[in-house]
Amino acid sequence: MAAAAECDVIMAAPEGPGEPESEEEARREAESFKEQGNAYYAKKDYNEAYNYYTKAIDTCPNNASYYGNRAATLMMLGRFREALGDAQQSVRLDDSFVRGHLREGKCHLSLGNAMAASRCFQRVLELDHKNTQAQQEVVFCMDRALEFAPACHRFKILKAECLALLGRYPEAQSVASDILRMDSTNADALYVRGLCLYYEDCIEKAVQFFVQALRMAPDHEKACLACRNAKALKAKKEDGNKAFKEGNYKLAYELYTEALGIDPNNIKTNAKLYCNRGTVNSKLRKLEEAIDDCTNAVKLDETYIKAYLRRAQCYMDTEQYEDAVRDYEKVYQTEKTKEHKQLLKNAQMELKKSKRKDYYKILGVDKNASEDEIKKAYRKRALMHHPDRHSGASAEVQKEEEKKFKEVGEAFTILSDPKKKARYDSGQDLEEDGLNMGDFDANNIFKAFFGGPGGFSFEASGPGNFFFQFG
């Protein structure tokens, strides 16, 4: 709703010395009248609604929305000529008032002035081509108009353009094709055909239709703009693809980013561009940025399987397994292939494994660590966390170090045994295999590793410093 403009000064009811009411007070009073009018309108008491909207206008006569509301009420009362006057006044006060233009168009249509209605609806599209409610209303009005003028190409074109903007491409294509069968040189119909192809990411074919439209009508502004955008998008996307194939990921990223800035209304093409840029980011190991790009892709196109797969892989690479499982489930529900089933199974296994203790992390080694690397890591960590080394620390620290010492022993017990390690790596439940880690004694592992009982001691070499000494 448009903001209130300056309104005339209204005199307050005299209570003591008469003083002019402030403009702000007048606005507040007018808003109060409008709200009461809205309440009556919602109750379908249009006569009372009309009275309160009139009071709002009398209090603040330069507010476009008050005239727009009263126009809507008059239309409900069947008083279309009066409603037309209010709708026209609303857009005189605020030419960007979309609902004012819509109401004016409806009034013209109801009064039989189809050409004037068409101009109003065209203005609506110029002001806000993203307003789906307005586009749906235009389609509805054009359908009503076509009942009385079934051969009117102007109405058909307006309807087809709105259908295209609403994403109802087959319907829009059908309307445009009907016109082209009757008049193959109709520039508006050629433009609409191109627009549908453009928004369905058939850019090369779209350009052909735009060029034909401009050949028939060189000054066709919409076709000219669409053709320019289509050519620019096609060129940037192809340049980005070329840079990616050549391994120039930085350049590919820049080109895809530039392409995304050309036309934010081309949903399908932009979804692909976001996914392509996400792939580039994954190659650059910018995994969170890659996830963001893939998320933008699926926001634009919820059916875009490739973007879900790319994002799921990034979630796997960043160990966000629950999110990966969710994406793979979405993919498998849509396309039940063996490959997708296996990807989902792998993600579920990694999720299960992630909820257990990470013995590799406890020892500080890679999952592909050799037997020797595992032994060296155990030696280092066992000495670091051995209780004797922390005998002079607080009870809290001793308890924490004892816990870590035990975990290090557990990790070594599993990872140093090839069979246990294989079961652990495959995600099997070790306790089901008869290994009860609750009965595990870390000291026994330590003694066995370092040569038996009595074979080691910690000696102080200074405040807080110890060295390990064999007996």
Side-chain angles (χ1 to χ4, degrees):
M1 195 165 284
E6 290 254 334
C7 60
D8 293 342
V9 173
I10 307 296
M11 298 300 292
E15 290 184 7
E19 293 182 2
E21 188 180 76
S22 72
E23 291 182 5
E24 186 57 38
E25 288 171 339
R27 288 193 186 95
R28 283 199 296 269
E29 186 177 15
E31 279 295 302
S32 175
F33 287 140
K34 184 204 74 173
E35 292 301 329
Q36 291 177 78
N38 290 350
Y40 281 112
Y41 188 94
K43 295 176 185 176
K44 300 185 179 180
D45 188 342
Y46 301 119
N47 286 309
E48 277 302 304
Y50 171 84
N51 291 335
Y52 277 99
Y53 290 141
T54 300
K55 288 179 182 180
I57 290 170
D58 291 342
T59 306
C60 194
N62 294 322
N63 188 305
S65 67
Y66 299 162
Y67 286 98
N69 286 6
R70 192 169 72 175
T73 304
L74 287 165
M75 290 166 70
M76 297 306 295
L77 291 168
R79 294 156 62 179
F80 288 101
R81 198 162 296 284
E82 294 171 76
L84 176 61
D86 274 354
Q88 289 174 326
Q89 179 60 15
S90 75
V91 297
R92 275 194 291 270
L93 290 169
D94 180 4
D95 184 53
S96 66
F97 186 31
V98 172
R99 300 211 65 78
H101 289 288
L102 263 176
R103 287 167 185 149
E104 182 186 354
K106 289 180 180 179
C107 289
H108 280 307
L109 205 57
S110 297
L111 294 168
N113 191 344
M115 296 307 289
S118 179
R119 286 194 296 272
C120 292
F121 295 140
Q122 191 64 53
R123 180 64 179 145
V124 168
L125 296 185
E126 290 170 4
L127 286 171
D128 190 359
H129 61 269
K130 294 182 182 178
N131 190 326
T132 56
Q133 183 182 359
Q135 291 159 7
Q136 288 166 346
E137 290 196 38
V138 172
V139 170
F140 175 81
C141 290
M142 290 301 94
D143 280 339
R144 302 290 78 73
L146 286 165
E147 290 175 3
F148 299 99
C152 179
H153 284 182
R154 189 183 182 93
F155 291 165
K156 287 183 178 180
I157 286 296
L158 197 53
K159 174 184 175 181
E161 186 176 354
C162 286
L163 288 170
L165 293 171
L166 287 166
R168 293 160 63 179
Y169 305 122
E171 295 171 75
Q173 290 265 33
S174 176
V175 174
S177 296
D178 286 344
I179 295 172
L180 290 170
R181 274 193 289 272
M182 301 294 293
D183 177 10
S184 62
T185 65
N186 189 298
D188 290 326
L190 290 167
Y191 161 71
V192 170
R193 283 291 305 275
L195 194 66
C196 291
L197 290 165
Y198 173 66
Y199 284 136
E200 289 184 292
D201 196 41
C202 300
I203 295 180
E204 195 166 341
K205 288 183 180 180
V207 169
Q208 294 173 8
F209 278 98
F210 294 145
V211 169
Q212 287 184 56
L214 289 168
R215 193 176 296 132
M216 301 304 163
D219 296 329
H220 198 295
E221 292 183 7
K222 290 182 179 179
C224 184
L225 176 62
C227 189
R228 187 165 62 246
N229 284 345
K231 287 180 177 179
L233 261 180
K234 182 174 180 291
K236 288 291 182 186
K237 185 181 177 185
E238 287 178 352
D239 288 347
N241 292 348
K242 183 173 180 288
F244 180 83
K245 287 176 183 176
E246 292 173 352
N248 192 342
Y249 302 130
K250 184 178 179 182
L251 178 58
Y253 176 90
E254 292 171 357
L255 289 165
Y256 289 140
T257 301
E258 289 173 15
L260 282 165
I262 292 172
D263 184 3
N265 300 312
N266 193 320
I267 303 302
K268 282 204 170 182
T269 301
N270 287 342
K272 291 182 179 180
L273 288 168
Y274 272 119
C275 187
N276 286 1
R277 196 173 73 174
T279 303
V280 171
N281 274 322
S282 70
K283 292 288 186 182
L284 293 170
R285 305 310 295 167
K286 296 180 178 179
L287 297 177
E288 289 302 329
E289 289 91 336
I291 289 170
D292 290 341
D293 277 339
C294 293
T295 298
N296 284 325
V298 297
K299 280 181 181 177
L300 293 176
D301 184 358
E302 292 182 353
T303 66
Y304 195 10
I305 295 299
K306 187 176 179 181
Y308 284 108
L309 287 170
R310 171 60 57 196
R311 187 172 69 175
Q313 184 58 57
C314 291
Y315 281 139
M316 292 290 285
D317 292 342
T318 53
E319 300 184 1
Q320 300 179 63
Y321 299 120
E322 289 185 3
D323 292 322
V325 167
R326 187 178 62 249
D327 275 357
Y328 283 133
E329 283 176 340
K330 170 81 173 178
V331 169
Y332 184 63
Q333 287 167 5
T334 307
E335 293 182 358
K336 295 185 184 299
T337 67
K338 288 183 179 179
E339 181 186 359
H340 295 160
K341 184 177 182 179
Q342 188 60 48
L343 288 169
L344 173 58
K345 186 177 179 181
N346 292 345
Q348 290 170 332
M349 179 61 70
E350 290 300 323
L351 175 60
K352 180 181 177 182
K353 287 160 64 176
S354 72
K355 294 183 181 298
R356 306 174 309 169
K357 288 181 180 178
D358 187 341
Y359 290 135
Y360 291 103
K361 191 173 183 179
I362 289 170
L363 286 184
V365 296
D366 186 80
K367 291 183 179 180
N368 298 316
S370 66
E371 183 179 347
D372 189 50
E373 287 172 330
I374 289 170
K375 287 181 178 179
K376 286 180 180 178
Y378 172 70
R379 177 187 292 273
K380 177 181 176 182
R381 296 291 172 118
L383 294 175
M384 184 186 302
H385 300 298
H386 193 283
D388 287 354
R389 183 169 189 171
H390 303 279
S391 58
S394 66
E396 185 179 350
V397 169
Q398 287 185 39
K399 185 176 180 182
E400 181 63 26
E401 292 298 328
E402 186 176 350
K403 177 186 174 186
K404 290 179 179 178
F405 179 68
K406 182 178 179 181
E407 287 179 341
V408 167
E410 281 183 25
F412 181 68
T413 298
I414 301 303
L415 300 184
S416 63
D417 184 315
K419 290 183 179 179
K420 292 174 184 175
K421 181 177 183 295
R423 288 198 295 270
Y424 175 77
D425 288 343
S426 66
Q428 294 181 44
D429 191 328
L430 297 175
E431 291 194 1
E432 288 180 2
D433 293 333
L435 183 62
N436 186 353
M437 301 310 292
D439 297 335
F440 171 79
D441 189 338
N443 285 307
N444 287 340
I445 296 297
F446 185 86
K447 290 171 183 176
F449 188 88
F450 286 104
F456 61 91
S457 65
F458 283 93
E459 300 290 343
S461 61
N465 295 317
F466 294 85
F467 65 90
F468 184 74
Q469 185 176 55
F470 286 95

